[in-house]
Amino acid sequence: LRPTPKLNTNHRKVMDLFHDWKVLMLTMRDADSGIVSPMVTRRGAMIRESTGPILTFLRYNMWEEARGILEYFHNAILLTGEIREYFPMDLDFAGITNANDYSAIKVPDSDLASWVVLQHFWYFRATLDAKYIKTRQPFLLHLLQKQKRGKGTLMRFSGHENFMRSVFDLDINAMS
């Protein structure tokens, strides 16, 4: 954690949170895949849920860790031929034979492709690593061009949003 930013404040709780957050992200990070996964409930590599770890790594100048997450999803999408919310963390990427062919990738009618593009944008904005983005340009353009929009050009959510769970379970008939 030595190359990460330092914070000096008299507020001990803020200091603890700042230092603990770095350790927490690395503790929940799979050593082989680089994916940060919750240690309870849902486990695995999830595109939307990886936004927090990516932004955290970028904020702490842990750019290799952030790029590792982007690489995992790129390879997982290539291997499976589709964008989906969940990928196992132990995929074997040795079977990827179509490393630059994105034409067969299935893009769902949801926001998932946008998250992948947005995460790459944040990576570029923080690192200015144009070389990496240039290598991913065909992939990102495919995701942008294959997105499907609904009425009023809005995108549907995939339905796996954790913050929506209580809304899905809400019984409006029981409300007074």
Side-chain angles (χ1 to χ4, degrees), residues 54 66-75 119-120 123 132:
I54 288 170
R67 188 175 57 238
I69 295 172
L70 299 177
E71 282 295 297
Y72 189 84
F73 285 118
H74 172 264
N75 292 336
Q119 290 165 350
H120 280 78
Y123 174 82
Y132 176 74

Side-chain angles (χ1 to χ4, degrees), residues 45-105:
M46 293 162 272
I47 290 173
R48 187 180 301 101
E49 280 79 355
S50 291
T51 297
I54 288 170
L55 291 174
T56 299
F57 288 148
L58 293 174
R59 176 66 62 184
Y60 289 128
N61 297 332
M62 300 171 77
W63 299 342
E64 287 181 33
E65 289 81 356
R67 188 175 57 238
I69 295 172
L70 299 177
E71 282 295 297
Y72 189 84
F73 285 118
H74 172 264
N75 292 336
I77 291 166
L78 271 177
L79 183 69
T80 62
E82 65 181 345
I83 296 181
R84 57 186 187 205
E85 175 58 27
Y86 168 85
F87 295 97
M89 293 190 329
D90 59 353
L91 292 175
D92 181 7
F93 298 132
I96 294 177
T97 58
N98 56 344
N100 293 314
D101 181 15
Y102 304 110
S103 62
I105 293 174

Side-chain angles (χ1 to χ4, degrees), residues 24-38:
L24 178 64
M25 287 293 110
L26 293 174
T27 302
M28 295 189 313
R29 184 172 177 256
D30 181 67
D32 294 324
S33 68
I35 289 292
V36 175
S37 178

